[in-house]
Amino acid sequence: MIRRPPRSTLSSSSAASDVYKRQHYKELVCEHSGGPVVVDTMVNSKDEKLQEEARILLLNLGRGNPRFQVHVAETVLTLLGCGNAVAQRMGAQSTRQYMQTLPPGFDSVVSCMPMLKSGDLQVQYEASELIKALSKYAYLHEAIIELSLIHISEPTRLLSISYAVFCLKKKKKTSIFK
């Protein structure tokens, strides 16, 4: 005799209701300043596991929540300028993930530049990865180049960041001549 798993008691309308409830939960959290509280927790915590859970929560709050997606993404940008290296790295990673659904703005470029001055090489690496991701947007090229030249002029900067900016400058010059 073949055993079959029990049939689900959820109907399709009940599943839709669950989606609505999750959406409503996300909106409630966002309406009551949940995003900034999560960001403050990440900045003030020394526990990387808690910070990772907070990062996942921020990503989930912004996903499938069109009413607050931009607000949550802007809240995540505040992590890039904080003094906590782990929170900065996670903020850069989250910003790159948000860029898959939201086009970044000039504030994304401005927010990631202070990370280049960090003494933590992992923070500098995440900043370079974010700059590379931002460079895919033609409307941000000028801002990236201008702001990068200011921050990269120090000898402690990663070579890959300088190379990324050099490539952008070279790409810009060749497109001008075409």
Side-chain angles (χ1 to χ4, degrees):
M1 176 175 194
I2 300 174
R3 290 194 87 177
R4 293 184 183 179
R7 289 186 180 187
S8 175
T9 57
L10 292 177
S11 66
S12 62
S13 63
S14 180
S17 174
D18 287 347
V19 169
Y20 173 77
K21 287 177 188 175
R22 283 192 300 270
Q23 177 74 23
H24 183 68
Y25 167 75
K26 290 176 183 182
E27 289 181 0
L28 273 172
V29 171
C30 291
E31 284 173 354
H32 296 349
S33 302
V37 171
V38 174
V39 165
D40 287 342
T41 301
M42 288 180 76
V43 171
N44 297 322
S45 177
K46 303 285 186 218
D47 183 8
E48 282 193 47
K49 187 173 181 179
L50 175 66
Q51 290 171 319
E52 177 62 22
E53 292 296 325
R55 182 184 77 83
I56 292 168
L57 177 59
L58 283 171
L59 288 173
N60 286 330
L61 285 175
R63 257 189 228 127
N65 189 1
R67 187 169 157 208
F68 289 100
Q69 185 176 22
V70 172
H71 174 69
V72 174
E74 289 171 349
T75 303
V76 168
L77 282 178
T78 62
L79 288 170
L80 303 183
C82 76
N84 186 325
V86 175
Q88 283 181 313
R89 286 193 331 257
M90 291 183 178
Q93 293 164 357
S94 298
T95 300
R96 284 200 319 269
Q97 287 182 330
Y98 274 120
M99 286 170 45
Q100 295 171 1
T101 55
L102 286 174
F106 180 73
D107 53 341
S108 301
V109 177
V110 173
S111 297
C112 79
M113 290 302 161
M115 293 174 64
L116 296 173
K117 292 182 178 180
S118 174
D120 187 325
L121 290 177
Q122 290 178 328
V123 171
Q124 290 180 7
Y125 172 77
E126 289 298 336
S128 71
E129 290 298 308
L130 185 54
I131 289 170
K132 285 181 203 174
L134 290 167
S135 70
K136 294 177 183 173
Y137 298 89
Y139 62 92
L140 293 176
H141 282 188
E142 182 106 4
I144 292 170
I145 292 169
E146 289 176 17
L147 290 171
S148 296
L149 291 176
I150 294 168
H151 292 282
I152 293 175
S153 60
E154 299 173 28
T156 58
R157 299 295 68 101
L158 285 175
L159 184 59
S160 62
I161 300 171
S162 299
Y163 180 71
V165 173
F166 170 76
C167 290
L168 279 174
K169 286 176 26 182
K170 188 174 180 180
K171 184 176 182 181
K172 183 179 175 188
K173 286 179 183 177
T174 57
S175 65
I176 291 172
F177 294 120
K178 288 183 180 178

